Amino acid sequence: MARTWLPRLRMQGLWGDLKLALRTFARSPTYVLVAVVTLGLGIGATTAIFSVVEGVLLRPLPYKDPGRLAIIWETAPAFERMSVSYPDYLDWEKMQSAFESIGCFRSTGYNLTGDGRPERLAGMMMSASLLPTLGMTPLVGRGFTADEDRIDGPPVALLGHGLWQRRFGGADVVGRTLTLDGTSFTIVGILRPELQLDPRAEIVTPIGRLQGQGRARGNHPGIRGIARLKEGVTLAQARADLDAVGAAIEKANPDGNSGVRPLLFPLHGDIVHQVRPMLLILMGAVFLVLSIAVGNVANLALARGTVRRKEMAVRAALGAGRGRLVRQVLVESAILSLVGGGLGVVVALWGVDLLGALRPDAIPRAAVIRVDGGVLAFSLFVSLASGMLFGVLPALQAVRANVNDALKEGDLRTTTGGARGGRARSLLVVAEVAFALMLLVCAGLSLRAFVALARTDQGFSPEGVVTMTAELPRAKYGEAERIRVFREQLGERLRALPGVAAATLSAGVPLGGPSETSYGVEGEPPRTDGAAHFTVYFPTDGHYLETMRLRLLAGRFLTDGDDASSKKVVVVDEHLARTVFAGRDAIGRKLFIEPNEPLEIVGVVGHVNNYGLGQPEAAADQIYLSWRQIGPRWFVPINGGIDITVRAQRGIDSAGLAGAVAATVESLDPDQPIHTVQTMQKLVDASVADRRFAMLLFGVFAAIALALALSGLYSVMSYVVAQRTHEVGVRMALGARPGQVQTMVVGQGLRLVGAGIGLGVALSLVLGGILSSILYGVRPTDPVTFASVAVLLGATAFFASWLPARRASRVDPMVALRAE
């Protein structure tokens, strides 16, 4: 019978603990408010960052059995990672044995005409095998067939879900036709929104329709392969198989594939590899914030537990066992942590919206960053764990108390329990200060790195410059003469526009996604493709130097006189001149990008940042070619893109010129839209957006940590002053001056802070190497940052200790002596 009633009795006991906890909280509203807000900040910040980590790093890709999916790049001795040559992909399909299937895709774009105003659509080309490889089917209709995935196949297209909703309102469009780049395509299906290989893509065509240089072996036109491993095949086995295939392809094609090999990675890992270090560092930083918050609440709970020792002694004397007392304290901690967790969820919802507004484009899969069931479960776990952490010390304090001593004592200041509690609170303050210092060091280092990055010489002047792109469809501009006439007329009209100081046409702009090619040097033995020189190349005109404001270091830049009838010339950057010619004069030397067609170097310009400030450069050399002297395949590499760049006159808004440029393009070709309109300053800002994102979050975390650590120090020192009221009265009655009392109290606080600073510096030095992946131009052990943070923390800690010290020094000795 007793066993039958035991669960009910336990529930009644727990319900009694809950009611007692609520009555206790009603008597201490300030304590409850401070604890809940502190926990809410810590749990909310942790939950918000975890939502990003979960959405980007932990959540599996929305494809069938995504763990078996891999991405394939190509690599060469002189180029670590490059896109795939289409003929190589076709050979992989035939020769590999490690994959169930293999597909490929590349990002591109299309001019949509014939149905309202011309529009530029971001798009993809993909193989017929790609969707089956991913384990996906179209939402409506069907995918491509093998017969359609050929250069002479029927023109068909798949609509992206976004375009289907935006332009067609979700209507039945399968079987309808669209005019893309002057060719009529039949819609055969609608893609699912989960297809995120290129989130911007709104329309997809078969990659087999790729033409011209896109089909040449040795050309790498932005293609990436996607493969599904066979059951039981490991990634290492697949790499070995694919490497053997690459060696066989090289043997059969020594000229186009010398040293070129496939490069295989897990698909999910490849998507997130660039942002993983930053997100993990931010997750570690926010856990430090949570630790400080928990430490702060634990400090408050310890102080409150000391005050409640007599209450606990009375309950023990009335028959409450130690287990019941521990349960009571833990129930109170659990209630506070759950309420704090609820507030934390509200903070996290706001934080996720804020992170969404601040997030850099470098963070992939942003659409899945949200507070969902998994994130809420994490928040619940963190809340309960936090409650256990800050509740365990007060619980131990309650059970260790001597009942007789607690009932007899009239003042708890000198008890052993109070001393033990004081040591625990001091250790918590030391830990909080150490963690706060670590976060302040992270914030300081990221700030100094960002400032160093912003001061980096970009090699060009972005102020007052706006750039946009026009695509020349092959169906309409297949002849070189038509392209030449369009460029000539467009350039002349742009430079005549009111408010335009300079205008240039090029294939590529700094930070806009460079194109690379190999080149040879006259007098050097021929190099194989695998070990060749690689350079970023810019086919452009004689106005590029003035528009971008490059630094001319030697010789001259291109001119309008560098045309088909004159000697072929090239301008190189200082990096190429320095590394290839080893200090010798580069002017007059010759380079080759086509066999037997030497290009004479006529000028040297400053190095331009093309891959992003502080980012590694896949090809550090740079050359500038005159589009009047080279064939269409160099000026319009694959898509037919022409970058239009305009510098505004002083006092003119560069962004406001975009409309005039668009009207000028439309006057030459009414079916020619422009797209990707952005200022060069926006491109520069985007290149450092991930560093700015990390810097801002570190700054926020550091500010919260500093506030929490100092409030913890203030509460401890206030409690110390309250404990030592009688001692202070005795000292002052014996002649101690107020300044001496202040020095005594502040000294005790600064000793705690000094210990915390020492521990924090040691931990920061040990963990400093982790930060190196997101720092630029500053060492993780930068002494200026460490010294500045220590001084800041010491100064603010002095203030937090001085306030209680000032209050102690104003105590009336007679009142203090009577307090005994």
Side-chain angles (χ1 to χ4, degrees):
M1 181 65 67
R3 291 182 180 178
T4 304
W5 287 96
L6 186 59
R8 184 181 301 174
L9 290 173
R10 287 177 177 172
M11 288 302 297
Q12 289 175 346
L14 182 60
W15 178 244
D17 290 338
L18 289 172
K19 291 192 292 185
L20 179 59
L22 294 177
R23 287 198 300 270
T24 303
F25 289 156
R27 295 195 298 267
S28 307
T30 302
Y31 164 72
V32 173
L33 178 63
V34 172
V36 167
V37 171
T38 300
L39 288 172
L41 283 175
I43 294 171
T46 305
T47 302
I49 295 298
F50 178 76
S51 70
V52 180
V53 171
E54 193 271 342
V56 176
L57 300 185
L58 303 181
R59 187 173 300 167
L61 295 170
Y63 310 126
K64 177 185 175 183
D65 199 1
R68 291 166 54 201
L69 292 175
I71 189 167
I72 311 175
W73 299 82
E74 286 194 302
T75 185
F79 216 90
E80 181 180 359
R81 182 183 296 204
M82 54 188 178
S83 60
V84 173
S85 173
Y86 186 62
D88 290 350
Y89 160 75
L90 295 177
D91 287 341
W92 297 342
E93 272 195 311
K94 301 171 188 174
M95 301 168 67
Q96 64 84 23
S97 60
F99 307 123
E100 280 186 5
S101 60
I102 184 171
C104 69
F105 72 99
R106 67 181 290 266
S107 298
T108 185
Y110 305 91
N111 288 348
L112 175 62
T113 57
D115 185 15
R117 189 174 182 82
E119 182 179 2
R120 182 67 183 178
L121 300 177
M124 283 197 311
M125 303 183 83
M126 72 181 186
S127 65
S129 58
L130 182 63
L131 289 181
T133 298
L134 294 173
M136 295 188 76
T137 57
L139 181 66
V140 178
R142 61 172 178 84
F144 301 138
T145 66
D147 287 338
E148 293 165 343
D149 191 18
R150 302 196 320 253
I151 194 168
D152 57 349
V156 293
L158 291 164
L159 291 188
H161 189 270
L163 178 65
W164 180 48
Q165 295 293 326
R166 174 174 62 85
R167 185 138 182 160
F168 302 101
D172 182 10
V173 293
V174 174
R176 290 177 56 177
T177 60
L178 294 176
T179 302
L180 305 174
D181 291 346
T183 300
S184 180
F185 283 76
T186 301
I187 300 171
V188 296
I190 310 298
L191 291 169
R192 297 180 182 274
E194 294 82 10
L195 184 65
Q196 292 288 311
L197 294 177
D198 182 350
R200 301 169 303 169
E202 295 190 298
I203 197 158
V204 180
T205 62
I207 200 168
R209 296 183 59 83
L210 197 61
Q211 300 182 28
Q213 287 299 306
R215 305 186 73 90
R217 193 180 297 274
N219 196 346
H220 301 266
I223 295 173
R224 283 160 284 177
I226 301 289
R228 178 174 291 277
L229 295 170
K230 289 181 178 178
E231 287 279 3
V233 174
T234 66
L235 197 68
Q237 291 170 332
R239 282 174 174 153
D241 175 73
L242 209 54
D243 194 62
V245 171
I249 294 173
E250 178 187 11
K251 185 176 181 180
N253 305 276
D255 294 333
N257 275 66
S258 179
V260 177
R261 289 291 187 276
L263 196 61
L264 191 69
F265 297 103
L267 178 58
H268 182 264
D270 185 80
I271 291 173
V272 303
H273 79 280
Q274 288 186 326
V275 297
R276 179 185 281 113
M278 178 185 70
L279 292 181
L280 292 180
I281 290 172
L282 288 173
M283 196 69 206
V286 80
F287 268 122
L288 289 180
V289 174
L290 179 62
S291 299
I292 296 173
V294 170
N296 231 347
V297 177
N299 242 328
L300 291 173
L302 279 171
R304 185 167 174 269
T306 301
V307 174
R308 296 178 65 194
R309 289 184 72 241
K310 183 170 288 189
E311 172 198 336
M312 292 297 182
V314 170
R315 294 187 63 199
L318 293 175
R322 290 189 173 186
R324 178 66 183 270
L325 296 179
V326 169
R327 188 178 68 188
Q328 176 63 44
V329 175
L330 292 180
V331 165
E332 293 177 7
S333 301
I335 293 173
L336 288 177
S337 64
L338 289 175
V339 176
L343 177 61
V345 170
V346 175
V347 172
L349 290 170
W350 173 79
V352 166
D353 291 339
L354 181 62
L355 291 174
L358 295 176
R359 69 168 185 83
D361 290 337
I363 294 182
R365 307 176 64 209
V368 298
I369 297 174
R370 59 181 181 267
V371 178
D372 58 8
V375 175
L376 289 175
F378 171 82
S379 181
L380 176 63
F381 169 78
V382 169
S383 301
L384 292 175
S386 300
M388 291 297 295
L389 286 172
F390 76 75
V392 68
L393 289 178
L396 291 175
Q397 185 185 54
V399 300
R400 286 178 177 176
N402 185 288
V403 175
N404 292 326
D405 290 344
L407 288 173
K408 288 187 295 182
E409 64 192 24
D411 191 340
L412 302 178
R413 292 187 292 263
T414 60
T415 65
T416 303
R420 282 197 298 265
R423 286 194 294 272
R425 288 190 293 275
S426 296
L427 289 174
L428 285 172
V429 168
V430 169
E432 288 180 43
V433 171
F435 292 162
L437 183 135
M438 293 174 67
L439 284 170
L440 286 167
V441 165
C442 289
L445 289 173
S446 62
L447 175 60
R448 281 177 58 80
F450 186 79
V451 170
L453 202 61
R455 293 176 177 173
T456 302
D457 181 13
Q458 303 166 50
F460 67 98
S461 174
E463 293 80 11
V465 179
V466 64
T467 184
M468 59 211 76
T469 304
E471 310 287 343
L472 304 183
R474 186 181 297 273
K476 191 171 185 178
Y477 292 92
E479 300 176 3
E481 180 61 18
R482 296 203 66 176
I483 297 175
R484 186 194 67 78
V485 170
F486 181 86
R487 287 195 307 245
E488 295 278 8
Q489 293 179 347
L490 179 59
E492 292 174 1
R493 295 190 186 188
L494 290 176
R495 285 183 281 275
L497 286 176
V500 171
T504 185
L505 305 178
S506 61
V509 294
L511 306 174
S515 297
E516 301 94 354
T517 187
S518 59
Y519 69 93
V521 180
E522 186 180 50
E524 281 191 358
R527 295 190 177 198
T528 60
D529 283 351
H533 297 292
F534 273 89
T535 180
V536 175
Y537 68 95
F538 290 94
T540 185
D541 55 29
H543 304 273
Y544 192 90
L545 181 79
E546 177 188 8
T547 306
M548 292 296 184
R549 292 187 180 169
L550 307 184
R551 292 179 292 113
L552 183 63
L553 303 179
R556 67 173 178 87
F557 197 70
L558 305 172
T559 69
D560 290 343
D562 295 319
D563 56 23
S565 62
S566 62
K567 176 178 60 178
K568 291 192 174 182
V569 298
V570 64
V571 173
V572 303
D573 82 315
E574 58 186 318
H575 184 275
L576 187 152
R578 181 177 63 252
T579 57
V580 173
F581 300 110
R584 295 169 292 167
D585 188 7
I587 304 297
R589 304 295 295 271
K590 293 183 173 60
L591 305 180
F592 296 88
I593 59 172
E594 292 279 16
N596 304 317
E597 292 187 14
L599 301 168
E600 182 178 328
I601 299 175
V602 296
V604 179
V605 297
H607 185 73
V608 172
N609 197 303
N610 285 303
Y611 291 92
L613 297 179
Q615 299 295 333
E617 295 183 288
D621 295 345
Q622 297 161 8
I623 63 174
Y624 299 85
L625 309 165
S626 172
W627 56 256
R628 292 178 171 86
Q629 293 187 331
I630 57 179
R633 82 179 188 90
W634 289 104
F635 186 79
V636 187
I638 303 297
N639 293 333
I642 295 179
D643 290 298
I644 305 166
T645 306
V646 173
R647 176 174 291 277
Q649 294 174 355
R650 186 180 298 275
I652 301 295
D653 178 19
S654 59
L657 291 175
V661 173
T664 302
V665 173
E666 187 176 355
S667 68
L668 289 172
D669 185 349
D671 292 332
Q672 182 62 60
I674 63 169
H675 64 95
T676 320
V677 179
Q678 55 192 333
T679 64
M680 287 302 300
Q681 188 59 54
K682 182 179 178 181
L683 277 172
V684 172
D685 293 341
S687 73
V688 296
D690 56 339
R691 315 292 179 93
R692 183 187 297 108
F693 181 74
M695 179 191 69
L696 289 174
L697 290 184
F698 277 137
V700 171
F701 296 160
I704 295 174
L706 181 61
L708 291 177
L710 293 180
S711 66
L713 176 63
Y714 174 81
S715 64
V716 166
M717 297 314 299
S718 296
Y719 185 77
V720 167
V721 167
Q723 278 189 317
R724 301 178 69 177
T725 300
H726 180 72
E727 176 192 343
V728 169
V730 171
R731 287 176 179 271
M732 296 185 72
L734 295 176
R737 293 187 298 273
Q740 291 175 313
V741 173
Q742 291 181 13
T743 300
M744 177 188 70
V745 177
V746 170
Q748 184 174 353
L750 291 184
R751 282 193 294 275
L752 295 178
V753 173
I757 289 176
L759 178 61
V761 168
L763 291 174
S764 298
L765 290 174
V766 170
L767 301 177
I770 299 175
L771 289 175
S772 59
S773 62
I774 62 171
L775 297 180
Y776 174 83
V778 61
R779 292 178 298 160
T781 57
D782 177 52
V784 174
T785 301
F786 276 78
S788 301
V789 166
V791 169
L792 171 65
L793 198 52
T796 51
F798 173 84
F799 184 72
S801 300
W802 176 77
L803 288 176
R806 181 171 176 267
R807 187 167 62 249
S809 67
R810 294 183 174 183
V811 169
D812 186 333
M814 297 305 297
V815 174
L817 290 172
R818 284 197 299 267
E820 184 64 32

